[in-house]
Amino acid sequence: MRWESTQSVLMRFKVEQGRAKMVGMGAMWAVVVVLQVITMLTGVTGQGYYEVVLPNAGIATMHAAVTHLGSVVLLDRTNVGVSQLNLPDGVCRDNPEDRATTHDCTAHSALYTPGSNAIRPLFVFTDTWCSSGQFDANGQLVQTGGDADGLMKIRTFAPCGDGNCDWVEQGTQLQNGRWYASNQILPDGTQIVVGGRSVQTVEYVPANGRGTFYLDLLAQTNDAQMDNLYPFVHLLPNNQLFIFANRDSILYDWQSNTVAKNFPTIPGEPRNYPSAGSSVLLPLTAEGGFSWPEVLVCGGAQYGAYMSGNMADASGNCGRIAPLADGAGWAMEDLPHKRTMGDMVLLPTRDVLIINGAGNGAQGWGGASNPVQAPELYKPNNAAGTRFSTLAYTDIPRVYHSTANLLQDGRILLAGSNTHQFYTLTGNLPTELRVETFSPPYFGANPSGFTTVPGALAYGQDFTAVVKATAPTFIELNLVNAPFVTHSYAMGQRLLQLAVTAPADNGAGDYNVFSTAPPSQQVAPAGYYMLFPVADGIVGYASWVKIG
């Protein structure tokens, strides 16, 4: 445990009190918060801090996604035996194809509500082990594939405010079985589903009459330990896809299903499952016309570590590439900590958080050691060699099957970690059922928030946001979507920095900020985004905005 000074504890109280007021939670919540802060006393001043918000979620979180209602869908696999979260009385899953428990009255998915920290069991029938997904334009989570009886399945979850929503197994199935595939929402509102174990094709959901299409990249990168699983897929503003598998990458035209360009091989180790690096599309900015995309790939594992169980050092570097540049190539940088299974989160400050993972080994049951329990902050706009800093240490290691998701209040929700075939609650790296949050260093004593903000925006629409802040010199408005997070990859994750005017004080601490919505669905596929006000580097509470 790391101890804080009294001054630091009081600062944390002021931060949480300000956020409580912004969401209308009142004085009682502020009292609860200060008691939690004084009791916990965890974290490191200036480097962020952690808090266990749920001592036992009842399930190990293999997949996680934040809905536009603020709740978080937690999802495990079904073939793991009974969980510690019971389904409602009288509800059981009777599935003769389940390889662990054919009559199971426990949940393998749940809905978590930040703030109240309530957990509600959800019912999922077919196996979601190592599946994929993303939200559609209406905020419905579309979830695809899995193992065994889940291999061809399409499931949906439509968030609701009345507690009655649950998983729905669709009658339509995938055209190819997808286990360890990746999804990316497209400008036309469909999702492309790429790859999977022993699958070298892409397909679309809904298919709309389209079949499957062979992708040579997946065949060429399929080494002996299949390091091309969970490929990294990023939608670029020119309406093409950057697809990365193992160590190679292409520019893919999804409308013609052809390869537009091949990129150089990234130096170093394999980067995809089971070697498990991670990747993000760096923030797009209005200043650059949203037209200059860059991709960051960090971490991975030594080739052969997965097959042999060799606890070799993980990858110690990152590669960065501008796919639309002439002669695009990789610029390499060293990581402060060697890391496999790290999750990369785009922060409202336009920085990248690299969190979770291990320093040795690869993904798989018992396949890693030396957990890396301090995250890295990557500042993409700094000069090379000055971009990384190390943040606060956590007592909870999170390695295989763990997640990291950005919440509406700017915290990072950390869940999961199960390095075992079944739930194993003792021994080395046990199944982790605790859920915690990480509050990055951008929390200030006077966080900003919206007094007025549109709930929906058309492409290219001008709008005014009224932001409550304390004498700011500059306010950013940054849009961040909610990805589907699993196996060290946040599917569909993107951040857009909008054009803004200088804040104009209209009295009572309110500031008018004039801005313009993203120009097209190629820049921002239709759907729900968190709009964050960032006043002089201090992140405020986000509002959900529907774009499209």
Side-chain angles (χ1 to χ4, degrees):
M1 176 175 289
R2 302 289 182 98
W3 295 90
E4 289 183 275
S5 66
T6 302
Q7 181 180 8
S8 175
V9 171
L10 291 175
M11 176 65 77
R12 284 178 57 184
F13 168 60
K14 289 179 181 178
V15 172
E16 300 297 347
Q17 186 182 46
R19 292 181 180 278
K21 289 178 180 177
M22 271 190 280
V23 294
M25 303 183 82
M28 181 58 71
W29 175 251
V31 171
V32 172
V33 168
V34 76
L35 289 174
Q36 289 177 339
V37 171
I38 292 173
T39 301
M40 291 295 297
L41 295 175
T42 58
V44 179
T45 304
Q47 296 180 334
Y49 58 89
Y50 299 84
E51 181 184 1
V52 174
V53 293
L54 197 61
N56 187 343
I59 66 169
T61 302
M62 183 185 297
H63 322 280
V66 179
T67 77
H68 67 276
L69 298 181
S71 55
V72 186
V73 178
L74 310 179
L75 187 61
D76 196 9
R77 51 184 264 240
T78 59
N79 281 330
V80 74
V82 296
S83 72
Q84 293 197 345
L85 181 65
N86 291 327
L87 289 165
D89 290 345
V91 176
C92 295
R93 185 174 60 91
D94 291 299
N95 185 352
E97 295 188 46
D98 195 294
R99 293 176 296 185
T101 312
T102 56
H103 177 73
D104 188 357
C105 302
T106 64
H108 299 279
S109 181
L111 196 65
Y112 167 73
T113 303
S116 69
N117 295 320
I119 193 86
R120 178 170 74 86
L122 298 176
F123 184 97
V124 62
F125 188 75
T126 55
D127 192 21
T128 52
W129 187 8
C130 301
S131 50
S132 57
Q134 205 181 342
F135 289 102
D136 68 13
N138 295 315
Q140 175 178 250
L141 183 57
V142 179
Q143 216 272 325
T144 49
D147 186 30
D149 64 335
L151 193 64
M152 306 282 291
K153 294 296 182 180
I154 301 174
R155 312 166 195 84
T156 57
F157 179 84
C160 63
D162 60 9
N164 292 321
C165 44
D166 214 332
W167 286 104
V168 176
E169 302 252 349
Q170 299 297 313
T172 304
Q173 297 200 111
L174 294 168
Q175 298 173 71
N176 288 155
R178 304 279 173 181
W179 194 24
Y180 301 90
S182 294
N183 292 24
Q184 168 67 56
I185 192 168
L186 298 171
D188 69 354
T190 64
Q191 295 185 27
I192 188 171
V193 188
V194 181
R197 179 164 286 186
S198 302
V199 179
Q200 297 166 1
T201 63
V202 306
E203 66 177 279
Y204 299 88
V205 175
N208 294 336
R210 290 173 290 191
T212 64
F213 300 90
Y214 174 75
L215 190 59
D216 187 59
L217 173 73
L218 298 175
Q220 295 299 320
T221 56
N222 187 27
D223 60 28
Q225 58 181 21
M226 292 179 284
D227 275 310
N228 65 356
L229 302 178
Y230 279 125
F232 306 141
V233 184
H234 301 296
L235 174 66
L236 304 184
N238 72 336
N239 202 25
Q240 293 179 319
L241 298 170
F242 179 86
I243 303 179
F244 181 105
N246 197 331
R247 295 175 56 215
D248 289 312
S249 50
I250 60 171
L251 191 63
Y252 188 73
D253 187 325
W254 61 271
Q255 292 178 297
S256 63
N257 290 292
T258 57
V259 175
K261 188 176 183 180
N262 289 279
F263 297 103
T265 299
I266 192 173
E269 298 73 28
R271 309 286 178 164
N272 293 84
Y273 182 93
S275 292
S278 191
S279 177
V280 291
L281 176 69
L282 292 175
L284 298 171
T285 68
E287 183 180 2
F290 302 107
S291 61
W292 185 254
E294 292 187 85
V295 172
L296 182 69
V297 176
C298 290
Q302 299 289 334
Y303 178 73
Y306 174 75
M307 291 185 295
S308 65
N310 177 14
M311 296 296 178
D313 286 352
S315 173
N317 57 44
C318 297
R320 179 167 166 172
I321 191 171
L324 302 185
D326 293 336
W330 293 98
M332 305 303 295
E333 294 180 81
D334 289 336
L335 277 164
H337 294 94
K338 295 179 179 181
R339 194 183 301 252
T340 180
M341 293 178 279
D343 285 279
M344 297 173 72
V345 183
L346 294 174
L347 300 179
T349 52
R350 295 181 287 117
D351 299 325
V352 182
L353 182 73
I354 308 173
I355 196 166
N356 300 333
N360 297 81
Q363 289 193 339
W365 293 318
S369 63
N370 186 25
V372 183
Q373 291 171 246
E376 253 74 71
L377 186 69
Y378 177 85
K379 291 184 172 293
N381 294 322
N382 282 13
T386 67
R387 292 173 177 152
F388 283 105
S389 59
T390 300
L391 302 181
Y393 176 94
T394 176
D395 293 330
I396 301 177
R398 296 191 186 271
V399 286
Y400 189 43
H401 290 159
S402 58
T403 57
N405 295 75
L406 177 67
L407 296 177
Q408 190 175 355
D409 61 6
R411 294 178 299 167
I412 311 303
L413 189 75
L414 303 172
S417 188
N418 188 9
T419 65
H420 309 279
Q421 184 174 2
F422 303 107
Y423 283 16
T424 304
L425 302 177
T426 59
N428 185 42
L429 296 175
T431 303
E432 185 55 68
L433 302 179
R434 288 173 291 180
V435 176
E436 66 181 331
T437 57
F438 174 61
S439 297
Y442 52 58
F443 283 81
N446 296 294
S448 58
F450 290 111
T451 301
T452 305
V453 66
L457 290 169
Y459 290 113
Q461 178 184 343
D462 293 331
F463 69 96
T464 301
V466 181
V467 178
K468 185 171 288 295
T470 303
T473 58
F474 188 76
I475 294 177
E476 293 183 27
L477 297 180
N478 294 331
L479 280 169
V480 190
N481 73 342
F484 180 85
V485 177
T486 188
H487 289 76
S488 307
Y489 179 48
M491 298 180 189
Q493 183 176 208
R494 68 199 299 113
L495 187 153
L496 308 170
Q497 183 191 21
L498 302 183
V500 296
T501 61
D505 189 354
N506 66 7
D510 286 343
Y511 292 82
N512 293 336
V513 181
F514 302 99
S515 185
T516 304
S520 68
Q521 61 268 40
Q522 287 80 27
V523 171
Y528 285 92
Y529 292 73
M530 290 178 279
L531 181 62
F532 281 95
V534 184
D536 295 335
I538 298 175
V539 173
Y541 199 92
S543 291
W544 285 95
V545 178
K546 190 175 185 182
I547 306 292

